[in-house]
Amino acid sequence: MKLNKNDILKALETITVPGEGQNMVESGAVKNVVTFGDEVIVDITIKNPSLQAKKRTEVDILKTIHEQVYEKAKIKVNITVDAPEKPKTNVIKGKPIPGIQNIIAVASGKGGVGKSTVTANLAVSLSKMGFKVGVLDADIYGPSIPIMFDVEAEKPLAVNVEGKSKMKPIENYGVKVLSIGFFTQPNQAVVWRGPMAAKALNQMIFDAHWGELDFLLLDLPPGTGDIHLSIMQSLPITGAVVVSTPQNVALADAKKGVAMFQQESINVPVLGIIENMAYFTPAELPDNKYYIFGKEGAKNLAEDLDVPFLGEIPLVQSIREAGDVGRPAALQTATPLEQSFEKLTQNVVEEVVRRNDDLPPTEAIKITTMAGCSAVKK
């Protein structure tokens, strides 16, 4: 039997593509029909990329032509998928804090690598350079920034700003600081579930009178969990800095920290990796370097991940002592430590400038039930 193209099209008008309202001819899904005797070729384009939709479309076409045109027709169906373009990540604009130019997240995949120490010293170094700086201690369960700024006994005051009551951050060494540690007793554990911790963070972010800041540093908790997602949902982060020690155990977690920010649904620019405790230099032998935790591990990781290496900080007793007494080591003058932190801070500023020149402003992310919460493979 010789098949007729019009008969084929008439039959196809009785079926629809899965998930679409119009019949497949009227909708334009059928792109071409070619007949050769009892053979027919149907070219069709659908928008649903699922295997189930493609199989259902093919079966419906075969069944309809066999039933309505010719039961012994030899049919070939060529299906092309033209799925709509995926929406760009970070399409939901967040709530920028008025007056704050750059928000830098300081993170680490692993605890105990000196992330809070790096944050405190970055902050005072930026302040020494003439920038207006703030630090938000987002480590809800282990806040240590108040100790490092010697303000653990302080309590933020309420100030009236345009008819609204706002928290006034505590200020020391030219840096404005807010932390959950200001609102708890020294021996009191913060035993909160994720939503409560996120709510407290949002209050410290949006119910505070930060004023004009060039940089707000966020001291994030270790890991890649709920607090990180809450922060990135709430704020348009300019970029992230990841802190690690050179040893393999820390590097494995630092790699996951970088992967979190680079995940498609999060997409926060990684400004670079900082290597803390890079080597040990005893006070009596200032020219000696002992690589206790390994050598240049974080530097090599930065090269492997193609992100900037921002610098290395030595393992020096005075850094720990300075943090414990609440006077960050970067406040020292004319010392190798001051120079290390100054160089590190200059590199961070350069990466922020480069990022702002090369990329559009970051927007706070929209995280659904699944997006941003799956394991990240990097």
Side-chain angles (χ1 to χ4, degrees), residues 247-282:
Q247 66 193 104
N248 289 337
V249 171
L251 294 172
D253 291 335
K255 187 175 182 179
K256 295 171 186 175
V258 172
M260 173 186 69
F261 291 113
Q262 292 181 336
Q263 188 176 358
E264 185 180 3
S265 59
I266 293 175
N267 199 26
V268 169
V270 177
L271 301 175
I273 297 177
I274 295 172
E275 184 171 270
N276 193 29
M277 308 182 201
Y279 53 86
F280 170 63
T281 297

Side-chain angles (χ1 to χ4, degrees), residues 81-333:
V81 176
D82 183 20
E85 185 180 350
K86 291 175 66 178
K88 293 180 180 179
T89 55
N90 304 352
V91 294
I92 304 302
K93 183 69 179 174
K95 299 178 183 177
I97 307 175
I100 297 182
Q101 301 302 315
N102 299 286
I103 302 175
I104 310 299
V106 183
S108 66
K110 186 175 181 62
V113 298
K115 170 182 48 58
S116 296
T117 299
V118 169
T119 302
N121 283 284
L122 271 178
V124 298
S125 295
L126 286 167
S127 179
K128 285 170 65 176
M129 291 177 181
F131 293 109
K132 298 175 182 177
V133 188
V135 173
L136 174 65
D137 188 356
D139 194 349
I140 291 290
Y141 305 108
S144 51
I145 289 296
I147 295 175
M148 294 188 173
F149 279 88
D150 194 25
V151 291
E152 55 184 324
E154 302 289 336
K155 300 294 179 186
L157 300 175
V159 293
N160 190 289
V161 180
E162 298 179 354
K164 296 181 180 179
S165 180
K166 298 273 190 177
M167 284 182 286
K168 183 180 180 182
I170 304 299
E171 188 168 346
N172 200 12
Y173 310 128
V175 178
K176 296 179 179 179
V177 178
L178 269 184
S179 169
I180 197 66
F182 293 141
F183 307 100
T184 59
Q185 297 300 320
N187 59 347
Q188 179 184 356
V190 177
V191 188
W192 288 347
R193 294 191 185 273
M196 193 169 179
K199 184 178 179 181
L201 274 176
N202 276 335
Q203 284 185 310
M204 288 195 292
I205 293 168
F206 296 109
D207 292 343
H209 180 51
W210 290 101
E212 298 289 329
L213 292 180
D214 297 305
F215 293 94
L216 176 64
L217 304 184
L218 307 179
D219 183 25
L220 296 178
T224 57
D226 196 38
I227 298 298
H228 304 74
L229 295 178
S230 297
I231 284 284
M232 289 182 286
Q233 278 181 291
S234 301
L235 290 173
I237 309 287
T238 305
V241 170
V242 176
V243 181
S244 179
T245 55
Q247 66 193 104
N248 289 337
V249 171
L251 294 172
D253 291 335
K255 187 175 182 179
K256 295 171 186 175
V258 172
M260 173 186 69
F261 291 113
Q262 292 181 336
Q263 188 176 358
E264 185 180 3
S265 59
I266 293 175
N267 199 26
V268 169
V270 177
L271 301 175
I273 297 177
I274 295 172
E275 184 171 270
N276 193 29
M277 308 182 201
Y279 53 86
F280 170 63
T281 297
E284 62 274 15
L285 297 170
D287 295 327
N288 287 28
K289 294 182 179 180
Y290 301 95
Y291 296 93
I292 297 175
F293 297 116
K295 186 175 182 179
E296 297 183 343
K299 183 178 181 180
N300 294 331
L301 177 63
E303 292 177 359
D304 291 343
L305 299 180
D306 195 24
V307 298
F309 179 66
L310 298 172
E312 58 184 21
I313 301 299
L315 176 61
V316 179
Q317 183 174 333
S318 62
I319 296 179
R320 191 273 304 165
E321 293 173 342
D324 284 350
V325 300
R327 185 175 172 81
L331 290 170
Q332 300 172 10
T333 57

